[in-house]
Amino acid sequence: MVSEVIEDMLKRMQSHPGVIGSVIINKEGQVIKSTLDNTTSLQYASLATRVCDSSVDALRNIDPTNDLTFLRVRSKKT
Amino acid sequence: MVSEVIEDMLKRMQSHPGVIGSVIINKEGQVIKSTLDNTTSLQYASLATRVCDSSVDALRNIDPTNDLTFLRVRSKKT
């Protein structure tokens, strides 16, 4: 279940030009909620999990007690 | 050789509270310029390269012609 606060945040994100959808995943990479089709949601979830995991590994390599709180990946086409 | 524009940018970044240093690396993960000691610079360069590479892989998995332009990793302690 996704809280009302999260729902509002998603609606606002969704209204930004260029936003094609949103996918909420948990730490294990499971899709909690998505506005995209199932195949795309699973693809994005798996890719995002890999990037998050490598970021967490990097942070913990420096300080084992640290953790990831925010990750932004910007690309040529977005 | 790092341009004057980059030098200015680094100085401004360096003046932000909490910034401990800056490391400039190329796409191959080689350190171009750093304000940190050699061991720390090489450690950060290798970790940053791994996170960048997994981000590029994720982007190209979706669109092989895309590329990474910006990556921000924020953690519990920074």
Side-chain angles (χ1 to χ4, degrees), chain A residues 27-52:
Chain A
K27 273 201 169 183
E28 285 73 42
Q30 294 155 331
V31 177
I32 306 292
K33 180 177 168 57
S34 178
T35 60
L36 303 173
D37 63 83
N38 198 47
T39 309
T40 307
S41 301
L42 293 173
Q43 179 194 19
Y44 284 19
S46 135
L47 296 171
T49 303
R50 256 187 267 164
V51 179
C52 287

Side-chain angles (χ1 to χ4, degrees), chain B residues 10 14 20-24 33-37 41:
Chain B
L10 288 177
Q14 200 79 18
I20 61 164
S22 51
V23 182
I24 297 181
K33 181 178 166 60
S34 177
T35 61
L36 304 173
D37 64 84
S41 301

Side-chain angles (χ1 to χ4, degrees), chain A residues 43 47-48 50-51 54 73, chain B residues 49-64 66-68:
Chain A
Q43 179 194 19
L47 296 171
R50 256 187 267 164
V51 179
S54 79
V73 176
Chain B
T49 303
R50 254 186 268 164
V51 179
C52 286
D53 289 349
S54 78
S55 304
V56 170
D57 288 349
L59 292 172
R60 292 211 177 132
N61 188 289
I62 297 166
D63 174 350
N66 206 350
D67 204 355
L68 180 68

